[in-house]
Amino acid sequence: MEPDPRVNLVGRPVRQIRELLGDHVDRLYRAQQVGHWIVHRDATGFDEMTNLPLEMRRELDRRFRVADPTVLDERRSADGSVKVLFGLADGCSIEAVAMPDDGKLTLCLSSQAGCAVGCTFCVTGALGAGRNLTPDEIVGQYRVLRRGAGTVPDRVNIVFMGMGEPLLNTRHLGTALEVLGERVSPKRITVSTSGIIPGIRWLAGLDRRPKLAVSLNAPDQSRRAQLMPIATRYPLDELFEVLHAFPLERGRRITFEYVLIRAFNDAVDDARTVAKLIRGIPAKVNVIPLNEDAEHFPDLHRPDDATVDRFGATLRDAGLTVTVRWSKGLDVDAACGQLKGRHQGSSPQQRDGHLDAASSPGREE
Ligand code: SF4
């Protein structure tokens, strides 16, 4: 199929839509109206913009489009989670998940069509690297999921914990955050990273900063590097230097995600070391018992419940806020990479390292 030559207006802030449309509308406020329809009302085409003259809508439609990624597959879980597999114009596919909870909706979005970081417990990492998503592809996930759920924006949380490392795509993520920030407060948006230090510095410099989550997963450099090869490039001590300096608005905390793996990082002493590492940083910890995957990670296993409880309790005793996150939506392959994996012919069962995305809200104590 021939690519559509019309300029896509999705994924652009209202100010940019105004600039683009300036020469194609009779008065500038018309361009503002179009921006409002797309960014604030999730319009999917000019025909919905009923406060614009019909002839103007037709003219705009000849030059511009309002296009979201195509839904290839959609699975609903018994717990209400909906996982969507999207197809992109160049044939890539990505995933996103909507998780309703207590009147709120959390949307887990992807930032790349794959991931080169290669964490050893992650299906997306196992599927390999993929290109950066563009702002329309990122914002389009939000638009489609939110429309599907019919939830009002002030009840929506957004987490970048889907496919990819968002801080390796700061250029497009920055634009997407600007657009999403017109709908959702930055305090309801979380960017989760495997520990990309230049990216964390970039995030620290944003005026409207989203929340930061860091995938920690080990109490020391050596074990972290075994699980997450990126730790060789951005070692734990340098990472924590940057995290200690990260500017936090009043009441905000950094979230640390910790995938618990049997006999690898689940000892009481490990929990004590983690608590020491984090000391001095306003923080909460999400403990995520591993979901086993015989196909991709045959040597990694989930600890028993008593070990999980003991690990969490040790962190709490050290004064940390801890949430144990149990899997959510696993009957629909809710973890990042799973649905795509299925469509590629494999049958992965494991979730990704930005794990909190496919987890239940858990129990915070
Ligand atoms: S856990 Fe995140 S950073 Fe690591 S490979 Fe998976 S998607 Fe990439």
Side-chain angles (χ1 to χ4, degrees):
M1 201 168 68
E2 285 292 305
D4 191 331
R6 295 173 301 165
V7 174
N8 192 3
L9 296 180
V10 171
R12 297 174 191 273
V14 173
R15 60 169 177 80
Q16 207 182 90
I17 294 176
R18 260 197 332 254
E19 282 163 23
L20 277 169
L21 264 57
D23 293 341
H24 304 284
V25 289
D26 54 357
R27 296 189 182 92
L28 205 55
Y29 78 88
R30 293 294 190 197
Q32 176 78 25
Q33 282 175 315
V34 173
H36 186 82
W37 272 105
I38 296 171
V39 174
H40 292 268
R41 300 186 66 177
D42 290 338
T44 56
F46 295 101
D47 51 339
E48 290 173 37
M49 304 178 193
T50 46
N51 55 352
L52 267 67
L54 185 60
E55 193 40 52
M56 184 180 291
R57 283 187 263 154
R58 286 187 180 141
E59 167 62 13
L60 290 174
D61 192 51
R62 278 189 279 275
R63 297 170 185 276
F64 302 97
R65 64 199 166 100
V66 186
D68 294 316
T70 309
V71 175
L72 297 180
D73 195 359
E74 183 180 299
R75 308 235 175 140
R76 270 170 206 279
S77 161
D79 63 20
S81 308
V82 180
K83 177 156 205 172
V84 176
L85 181 73
F86 290 101
L88 307 178
D90 62 355
C92 288
S93 57
I94 53 166
E95 299 174 356
V97 188
M99 291 166 287
D101 179 52
D102 199 19
K104 293 205 179 87
L105 182 72
T106 298
L107 304 180
C108 174
L109 308 183
S110 292
S111 54
Q112 297 181 305
C115 190
V117 172
C119 302
T120 55
F121 50 82
C122 173
V123 169
T124 300
L127 293 175
R131 70 168 171 83
N132 286 337
L133 299 186
T134 50
D136 56 313
E137 292 166 339
I138 297 172
V139 176
Q141 297 168 62
Y142 162 83
R143 285 163 44 91
V144 173
L145 291 181
R146 210 191 66 74
R147 275 200 304 270
T151 312
V152 291
D154 64 358
R155 307 292 287 171
V156 172
N157 294 309
I158 295 172
V159 294
F160 282 93
M161 297 179 180
M163 296 171 65
E165 165 52 69
L167 294 186
L168 289 178
N169 184 14
T170 50
R171 181 168 152 240
H172 295 324
L173 178 70
T175 306
L177 287 173
E178 184 182 347
V179 179
L180 294 169
E182 295 195 37
R183 299 292 300 278
V184 179
S185 161
K187 67 181 182 217
R188 291 188 172 277
I189 302 177
T190 301
V191 172
S192 177
T193 179
S194 57
I196 308 294
I197 288 177
I200 296 172
R201 290 203 178 104
W202 169 83
L203 204 65
L206 293 184
D207 287 337
R208 301 192 75 221
R209 218 175 1 259
K211 293 197 293 186
L212 172 65
V214 177
S215 199
L216 182 60
N217 305 325
D220 55 56
Q221 170 64 16
S222 146
R223 275 182 281 176
R224 192 161 190 270
Q226 280 180 57
L227 280 184
M228 309 174 75
I230 197 77
T232 309
R233 182 141 175 220
Y234 301 116
L236 205 56
D237 51 352
E238 288 176 31
L239 174 62
F240 270 86
E241 232 173 80
V242 175
L243 295 179
H244 275 283
F246 192 82
L248 288 172
E249 288 77 358
R250 198 185 173 83
R252 278 206 200 174
R253 293 180 285 188
I254 294 177
T255 300
F256 289 92
E257 292 147 7
Y258 194 98
V259 181
L260 213 52
I261 300 169
R262 190 199 303 164
F264 180 79
N265 61 1
D266 62 348
V268 166
D269 272 354
D270 295 337
R272 290 194 186 115
T273 311
V274 167
K276 265 190 215 146
L277 266 179
I278 294 176
R279 191 174 294 156
I281 299 175
K284 60 178 177 173
V285 183
N286 290 339
V287 174
I288 306 146
L290 179 84
N291 280 298
E292 299 181 356
D293 183 333
E295 183 181 346
H296 291 92
F297 335 109
D299 300 330
L300 303 184
H301 299 283
R302 180 184 190 136
D304 57 36
D305 290 358
T307 305
V308 174
D309 287 346
R310 203 164 43 238
F311 194 91
T314 308
L315 292 174
R316 276 183 211 108
D317 289 348
L320 284 161
T321 302
V322 179
T323 303
V324 176
R325 294 197 175 270
W326 302 97
S327 306
K328 188 164 189 176
L330 286 184
D331 53 329
V332 291
D333 298 325
C336 134
Q338 291 187 322
L339 198 51
K340 175 167 170 154
R342 272 196 196 288
H343 278 251
Q344 287 184 352
S346 66
S347 57
Q349 296 297 315
Q350 168 62 8
R351 301 182 303 127
D352 114 291
H354 296 157
L355 287 168
D356 154 283
S359 306
S360 72
R363 188 179 72 241
E364 191 169 292
E365 291 164 29

